[in-house]
Amino acid sequence: MNARPGSETGVESGATPDPERADRPSPAATSDDFALGANPLPGLRFACLLVLLGAIASGTAPLFGVVNPAAPPAYPSVAPLLVLGVLPALTAFGFLRARRPGAARAVLLVTAAVAVARGIGSAQLLVEPGLLSRPELLLRESLRPLDPAPGTWLLLSGYAVVFLAGILALRTSTGETTRAASGASGGRQPLFVLVLCFAALGAAGALPAAFRSLDPFVVSHGLLSAPPLVFAGDLLLAVVIPVAAGLAVSSAEPEVGRGGLVGLAVNLAGTTVPVLLAVLSGPELLIGWGLGFGLVALVGLGALSVPVGRTVARSEANPSEISLPAHTRLAVLTGVLGALGGAFAVVAALVPQLRAPEHVIGFGDNYNLLPLLLAGIVQLSLSLPLLRPGLVSPRPVLGTAWAILPLTAAADLDTVLRFAGGTRLELVPYGVWCTVVAVVLTCCAAVSAAVAGAIERDEVDLSEITPSRSLLPPAALTGLLVVAAFGFPVFRTPDHVSPGLFNGFGIASWGLLTALLVVLVALVLVPVSRGKRAAALLAGCAVVLSFRALLAPLAAPAMTEGFSLGFGFWSALGAVVAAAATAVLAARPTG
């Protein structure tokens, strides 16, 4: 059939233009639009140049000294700081050269967000420089007062320039929505969960100390002991990492997903590698928890950037939403992670964690390991049934009951680290590391369980749910008892009071806070959940509260003289009874 004149161009005389066809760019539209002035490359190139200049300014700060009197860094850090600083700019330039402006923009935005957090923490140099824990910038050699030097202003100005580059990138539109429309994120929920797990590790790495110092003049602190500016910067960084990772992996555009994760990886390299070099260069600096978590997150996010981009690009799902796999597959993943976490907890409770000059101290000598052992066994019993595909009934219970492991692990770490730091006892590293790995795997299982529950609600059970007014009063009463159970001590002696949220904050308090938040969130969901799901959530709450109450009788053999039960114990018992009664009420069939 012969085409009419002008039909190939769509400008046929008397023809009505198709608005959808007019809005749809031709394959050559990208380069043509760039030539006509819609090109985002100049703005992004200028933003990359600003990041490059900011990195050079911050990287050369040690050359001019950041404090007076001079306190040199742990090693000649200018070259590593320059290389790591310009890496995000070079990465963005590489994406632009490959005509991937969306990926370049994502790298620039992540870099700017990290620069803001780093800049806030580095502003401590203007207030009291000796409290800044940055061995790549300075190592304090005495107690002499320190003042900011020209290098401080160079460092902060570099972070400010990178922030301006991020604003410029934010205001630059890449115009790539039509490219994303051809392929969205179908079938990538396992990657979504993995990215969130590594992002959680990265956030955890920003909270504890990155290194430990044997030098009394060198400051090494975590979030809780940090000065206000460092506290704010570290906390912001801990928020930026998971938010940026979540936005990247949930983007409908493959380039944005890949660029966001690559940007996070190169920026985590800038925060961790300089500290690692300082630890390797001096015997008085030892690796800390924060550095370990950060390095693992760096490797994981960098590796996942490849399949995230490739999977999204090949998908044919709706670009406006994430296409998720069957919730049963995620239930199996939850079971695997939960079982591994429980197994590590059992191992951690059975192996030695402290060493005395005469012998090692393990399960038989440390009463605090018994709750951790029981928590590992309970988590194993709830996780193993999920390994059979399609058997998801224990998952809602595990979705709340997982809090028993951080609750008991934090109490164990609090005891072990307190004895190791205040007595002649030595720490046995592999026992403590097993405890930490158990907590990390359990938190990953909790994320997987939460996502699986959301998928099941959105894709399987699409009927409406009316909030149950009859469950509101007992759930509220249970919530009040829960706050008292975790807020007040469960036992006391003349010389010791068990940890509670209202009587000081330590390592064990993190476990209490985690368990409290998990139980309260579950109680909020109970009135809007279906009968069996609500009963399962309440059963998980009862398990967590039972472990909170168990801490008192398990401690009794070691503290018999003057031992008395605290208000937290009675509140926990009352909360267990209230949760069980509410579960029976929720499971009762409605007429």
Side-chain angles (χ1 to χ4, degrees):
M1 183 168 56
N2 296 329
R4 288 177 292 176
S7 60
E8 291 182 0
T9 61
V11 189
E12 184 179 351
S13 176
T16 303
D18 183 3
E20 295 183 0
R21 184 183 180 90
D23 291 338
R24 191 181 304 123
S26 64
T30 303
S31 59
D32 292 340
D33 286 346
F34 288 168
L36 292 174
N39 184 4
L41 296 184
L44 294 179
R45 281 174 180 158
F46 184 63
C48 290
L49 181 60
L50 289 178
V51 172
L52 190 65
L53 294 176
I56 293 174
S58 298
T60 55
L63 275 179
F64 301 90
V66 295
V67 291
N68 283 320
Y75 60 97
S77 59
V78 174
L81 289 179
L82 283 175
V83 172
L84 294 169
V86 303
L87 195 56
L90 296 180
T91 303
F93 270 127
F95 280 127
L96 288 178
R97 187 174 180 81
R99 292 285 176 165
R100 298 291 183 263
R105 183 171 180 261
V107 173
L108 294 172
L109 292 176
V110 170
T111 303
V114 174
V116 172
R118 300 279 281 173
I120 293 174
S122 300
Q124 180 65 34
L125 289 168
L126 302 176
V127 181
E128 193 170 352
L131 295 181
L132 184 66
S133 183
R134 295 279 297 273
E136 72 274 19
L137 297 179
L138 76 155
L139 281 183
R140 195 170 187 175
E141 298 176 339
S142 68
L143 295 178
R144 290 182 300 173
L146 300 177
D147 297 315
T152 295
W153 301 104
L154 199 59
L155 178 73
L156 297 178
S157 63
Y159 289 135
V161 171
V162 175
F163 174 65
L164 292 178
I167 294 178
L168 177 61
L170 185 64
R171 295 174 60 88
T172 302
S173 174
T174 58
E176 290 192 313
T177 54
T178 53
R179 285 175 83 179
S182 63
S185 52
R188 71 180 203 176
Q189 188 57 33
L191 287 176
F192 185 85
V193 174
L194 285 175
V195 168
L196 289 185
C197 290
F198 279 107
L201 279 179
L207 302 180
F211 65 94
R212 294 183 294 119
S213 174
L214 302 179
D215 188 335
F217 299 117
V218 178
V219 176
S220 174
H221 48 62
L223 184 72
L224 296 179
S225 59
L229 287 174
V230 178
F231 177 92
D234 290 347
L235 188 61
L236 179 58
L237 183 61
V239 173
V240 164
I241 293 172
V243 169
L247 291 176
V249 74
S250 62
S251 173
E253 296 189 24
E255 298 175 5
V256 173
R258 179 169 294 177
L261 295 185
V262 171
L264 268 179
V266 295
N267 279 279
L268 281 174
T271 62
T272 56
V273 174
V275 181
L276 177 62
L277 295 177
V279 170
L280 296 176
S281 63
E284 293 185 337
L285 300 183
L286 306 174
I287 190 170
W289 298 105
L291 181 57
F293 290 150
L295 291 173
V296 174
L298 156 66
V299 175
L301 293 175
L304 289 174
S305 66
V306 177
V308 163
R310 183 169 58 244
T311 302
V312 177
R314 293 180 179 177
S315 175
E316 298 179 356
N318 187 345
S320 62
E321 59 185 5
I322 301 175
S323 179
L324 302 174
H327 66 281
T328 53
R329 294 174 57 189
L330 276 178
V332 174
L333 177 61
T334 301
V336 171
L337 294 172
L340 288 175
F344 271 98
V346 172
V347 173
L350 296 178
V351 300
Q353 296 196 1
L354 290 170
R355 180 184 292 110
E358 299 83 10
H359 68 289
V360 293
I361 299 174
F363 180 74
D365 303 291
N366 185 359
Y367 72 91
N368 224 39
L369 291 174
L370 181 57
L372 181 63
L373 176 64
L374 295 177
I377 294 173
V378 170
Q379 183 160 303
L380 270 173
S381 64
L382 292 175
S383 301
L384 289 177
L386 295 177
L387 299 181
R388 180 182 176 185
L391 185 60
V392 298
S393 54
R395 196 202 64 237
V397 181
L398 181 63
T400 304
W402 68 270
I404 62 176
L405 207 143
L407 173 66
T408 55
D412 167 45
L413 291 174
D414 187 46
T415 301
V416 170
L417 296 178
R418 187 172 66 249
F419 273 102
T423 66
R424 297 178 60 187
L425 299 177
E426 296 180 3
L427 204 63
V428 179
Y430 52 84
V432 177
W433 275 109
C434 285
T435 305
V436 174
V437 171
V439 173
V440 171
L441 289 172
T442 299
C443 292
C444 293
V447 173
S448 180
V451 176
I455 297 171
E456 184 180 12
R457 177 69 188 101
D458 292 340
E459 296 190 353
V460 179
D461 186 4
L462 301 178
S463 58
E464 271 189 50
I465 294 180
T466 303
S468 175
R469 295 183 178 180
S470 62
L471 294 179
L472 286 175
L477 174 61
T478 306
L480 293 176
L481 292 172
V482 167
V483 173
F486 291 104
F488 295 98
V490 292
F491 69 88
R492 62 178 66 246
T493 66
D495 301 322
H496 178 73
V497 177
S498 68
L501 291 176
F502 299 154
N503 63 321
F505 203 94
I507 297 177
S509 304
W510 286 106
L512 295 174
L513 182 61
T514 300
L516 172 64
L517 293 177
V518 169
V519 173
L520 289 181
V521 169
L523 291 175
V524 170
L525 295 176
V526 163
V528 295
S529 300
R530 299 202 173 275
K532 293 183 178 180
R533 291 290 182 260
L537 288 173
L538 289 164
C541 294
V543 172
V544 178
L545 291 163
S546 298
F547 268 82
R548 174 59 175 160
L550 274 175
L551 292 178
L554 291 178
M559 298 183 177
T560 53
E561 186 176 353
F563 180 90
S564 62
L565 298 173
F567 184 64
F569 172 79
W570 301 111
S571 299
L573 280 185
V576 171
V577 174
T582 309
V584 173
L585 183 63
R588 189 178 55 186
T590 56

